[in-house]
Amino acid sequence: RLLMNMFPLKVLHEFKEFGTTTPSFYDDVSVLFLDFVGFTRMPISREPKRLISELNEIFSTFDQIIEHHACERIKTIGDAYLAVANMPSPNPDHAIDITTAAIKMLRYLQRRNASHPVQWTCRIGIHTGSVVGSVVGVRKYIYDVFGDGVNTASRMQSLSEPMRITVSESTYQIIKSTIPCTPRGMFEIRGSDRMNIYFVEAALAAPDEASGTDGAA
């Protein structure tokens, strides 16, 4: 059970059979990068037990949402959360699924904030592109992803706004007929060319939905 929480199931089977896993290139992966806004300035960041309790509750709910939409959580990095879709197992609806998951993650935070003394605000970025996935490390193993897809998703997150989802041009072209988006114009993307980016407009629940409890549904 511990290994199943550490590795995607497909990678775990390969690791158990051969004792290692071959780094794999994936050409068409949707990557979600979430980061909390003003984390280091939050009073709770100086209360270790309470902080970990809060993050554990939030990330556990994110994991349920991600799994429900056939995506894969890769890791948390402090207060950041990284997930992918269409790797290592194929998912033809990867861009729509991971964007839908992102919408539900924001809705969960909105409902939680409405009835909770600690307010968590995040930015989310999504990009569809190429990544490399592999188990790294010798004594402390971790399945990780690298490459342009991850870097650009991180850049989408940094260009987003609090409680908003920003998607790249490549993701937009896949989801635009299903999920409403608004153009934000062309931005310089570090390590890449200038790119049109978009806000997802289905992100927040209506006011009368704010007290709901179906965050992982």
Side-chain angles (χ1 to χ4, degrees):
R1 287 196 299 268
L2 176 61
L3 290 174
M4 288 178 66
N5 287 328
M6 292 173 59
F7 303 135
L9 190 58
K10 182 178 179 181
V11 173
L12 174 59
H13 288 161
E14 183 179 1
F15 204 78
K16 286 173 66 177
E17 184 172 356
F18 301 108
T20 186
T21 185
T22 303
S24 299
F25 177 83
Y26 300 87
D27 189 46
D28 193 30
V29 172
S30 291
V31 183
L32 176 153
F33 200 98
L34 177 151
D35 197 25
F36 286 107
V37 179
F39 173 75
T40 57
R41 297 190 300 274
M42 294 174 66
I44 196 174
S45 67
R46 296 182 290 276
E47 302 177 40
K49 289 184 179 179
R50 192 176 175 201
L51 171 66
I52 296 305
S53 176
E54 291 268 323
L55 284 176
N56 183 62
E57 180 182 327
I58 292 170
F59 285 158
S60 293
T61 302
F62 287 175
D63 286 348
Q64 293 176 40
I65 296 170
I66 286 293
E67 183 179 351
H68 181 78
H69 288 280
C71 305
E72 186 81 38
R73 190 272 288 261
I74 297 298
K75 62 181 177 180
T76 59
I77 314 103
D79 63 314
Y81 186 97
L82 176 64
V84 298
N86 205 32
M87 71 164 291
S89 300
N91 175 4
D93 298 319
H94 54 92
I96 292 173
D97 282 350
I98 206 163
T99 305
T100 302
I103 291 169
K104 292 188 177 182
M105 291 159 85
L106 287 190
R107 288 179 175 174
Y108 161 71
L109 283 181
Q110 182 190 29
R111 289 192 295 267
R112 191 179 190 276
N113 287 341
S115 60
H116 200 279
V118 181
Q119 304 291 290
W120 293 87
T121 303
C122 72
R123 292 186 299 259
I124 299 179
I126 299 174
H127 172 64
T128 302
S130 60
V131 304
V132 172
S134 181
V135 174
V136 295
V138 177
R139 296 177 66 87
K140 296 184 178 180
Y141 297 106
I142 183 173
Y143 184 77
D144 212 345
V145 293
F146 314 88
D148 177 69
V150 179
N151 295 337
T152 305
S154 176
R155 183 62 174 149
M156 292 300 104
Q157 179 276 135
S158 65
L159 289 171
S160 196
E161 294 182 1
M163 299 303 277
R164 301 299 300 267
I165 303 165
T166 293
V167 300
S168 67
E169 178 72 30
S170 59
T171 302
Y172 169 74
Q173 291 300 327
I174 301 172
I175 70 173
K176 63 181 181 180
S177 62
T178 304
I179 300 174
C181 299
T182 300
R184 296 188 58 196
M186 187 167 286
F187 286 73
E188 193 74 35
I189 307 301
R190 185 170 58 252
S192 184
D193 297 327
R194 290 171 62 82
M195 180 189 299
N196 285 311
I197 66 175
Y198 304 81
F199 273 140
V200 172
E201 291 301 342
L204 290 182
D208 59 350
E209 298 176 0
S211 60
T213 57
D214 60 340

